[in-house]
Amino acid sequence: YIVLSDGFAVPHEGLEQGSVKVGMNLIRLKHPVHFGADDFDPVEFVCCLSAVDHKMHLKAFFNLVNMLRNEEFKEALKTCKNVHEAAYISEKYNCSVLCKGGHSINDANDLLYSNGEYKWFYGKRINNPNTHGTGCTLSSAIAANLAKEFELEESVKRAKQYLSDALEFKLDLGA
């Protein structure tokens, strides 16, 4: 991983892991984590980046770095509390936003806001004490599906199913 900025980290993997398309997801952690980067800890935001070679991801990466220099953008991410605020961020900064609903009591419905449209992904709440790491798992699975050249909505759908299956089988995702 690389800790890029105050509270922002980018985990990464080698190119040989099979990505076929550049993909990137940014998630906000419910509980910030210390990465050992004294000046930038704790990390509240994690960006999963999928690269296919040593060059194609650089534009997306540098756009992220430039956005992280924008204090207004960072503050909007940190203070976002609902889907309307997420939609505002999506429109203002031309990015898609997924509001994860796994912390609800009765369901696990997620809401994607992209290109001016809302799309619900419905799911049931799965009773599993091992929920630490679900946000990172979901984000990584979305990035992996984007890298496999699935469209964003299909990537979210497949990632949500993957996460639900992992929780159903009581896998310890945050281990």
Side-chain angles (χ1 to χ4, degrees), residues 43-173:
V43 170
E44 183 178 4
F45 294 90
V46 178
C47 176
C48 297
L49 179 64
S50 172
V52 295
D53 61 25
H54 291 288
K55 294 181 183 178
M56 287 186 66
H57 69 287
L58 292 178
K59 182 177 179 182
F61 183 74
F62 286 123
N63 283 338
L64 173 65
V65 170
N66 285 330
M67 290 181 79
L68 292 178
R69 295 173 66 193
N70 181 333
E71 291 300 322
E72 185 180 333
F73 172 72
K74 288 170 63 172
E75 190 61 27
L77 290 177
K78 289 180 181 183
T79 60
C80 180
K81 300 270 189 257
N82 59 52
V83 295
H84 301 294
E85 291 175 10
Y88 172 78
I89 293 169
S90 174
E91 290 172 1
K92 182 169 183 173
Y93 297 102
N94 193 29
C95 59
S96 299
V97 177
L98 180 67
C99 298
K100 186 173 166 287
H103 295 288
S104 299
I105 295 171
N106 297 319
D107 57 45
N109 300 333
D110 300 338
L111 179 62
L112 175 66
Y113 187 83
S114 183
N115 298 319
E117 296 183 14
Y118 293 96
K119 167 78 175 167
W120 281 100
F121 295 87
Y122 297 99
K124 66 176 184 170
R125 176 111 173 111
I126 298 168
N127 187 16
N128 183 334
N130 300 317
T131 58
H132 177 75
T134 54
C136 289
T137 301
L138 180 66
S139 181
S140 297
I142 293 169
N145 280 287
L146 289 169
K148 291 180 175 183
E149 299 187 329
F150 289 103
E151 295 298 322
L152 179 59
E153 284 188 21
E154 182 65 18
S155 294
V156 172
K157 178 182 170 187
R158 292 169 59 94
K160 186 166 179 63
Q161 185 61 55
Y162 172 80
L163 179 60
S164 294
D165 290 347
L167 289 170
E168 192 73 45
F169 287 109
K170 305 287 190 234
L171 299 180
D172 192 0
L173 301 172

